[in-house]
Amino acid sequence: MDIAQGKLVMGYRCNVDYLDEERYYSLLLGSRILGGGADSKLFVNVREKESLAYTTKSEYVVQKNNIFIRCGIEFDKYQKTLDLIKKLLDDMKKGDFTDEEITKAKEYILAGVDSISEEQDSQILFLFGQELSKRSITIDEYKEKIKNVTRDEIIE
């Protein structure tokens, strides 16, 4: 097709046992810091500073035990975008993220968890997700686990 834009999708298999509950929470936070919003590393660096993507996102998919990075890019920016994303991932592995980024990621996830009790559909999805993952945890316990994730756990 005669188009200039496409989607760059990168998938990373997480070396975490699917039922390793403690690592689940650190993966959620790491993915949020990397590409979960307008304050994320991907958005700030790939989209805003370098103008390499018109959209960018990172998402941890627990059922697949993968992190998917998605960017809407122009084809001629593919290699530069790919190189920058790999650098950002390497930097995160080295702990190149701030305590403020951790705090913001926790606040964002906790706000989402708080909203579960506000809608029946969200409650059903939360409970169904637990059934699928063979986890049993209350919303308060979930929130506590998010709050207790450390920098070292995110790096790991």
Side-chain angles (χ1 to χ4, degrees), residues 68-134:
F68 289 99
I69 298 170
R70 295 178 174 86
C71 295
I73 63 169
E74 293 177 17
F75 295 133
D76 62 347
K77 296 180 179 179
Y78 169 80
Q79 193 60 52
K80 190 172 181 183
T81 306
L82 186 66
D83 293 343
L84 180 54
I85 292 170
K86 287 180 179 181
K87 181 191 178 313
L88 292 170
L89 282 168
D90 286 340
D91 290 348
M92 282 197 64
K93 289 178 190 176
K94 296 173 188 168
D96 186 12
F97 49 91
T98 66
D99 290 340
E100 182 181 356
E101 288 173 307
I102 296 170
T103 299
K104 284 182 179 181
K106 287 181 179 183
E107 288 171 353
Y108 178 86
I109 292 170
L110 291 170
V113 173
D114 281 339
S115 71
I116 290 171
S117 60
E118 296 171 7
E119 295 181 26
Q120 287 179 341
D121 289 351
S122 296
Q123 291 173 16
I124 290 167
L125 286 174
F126 180 76
L127 294 170
F128 185 61
Q130 287 190 48
E131 186 69 27
L132 288 176
S133 65
K134 299 180 181 14

Side-chain angles (χ1 to χ4, degrees), residues 4 45 56 83:
N45 293 287
T56 184
D83 293 343

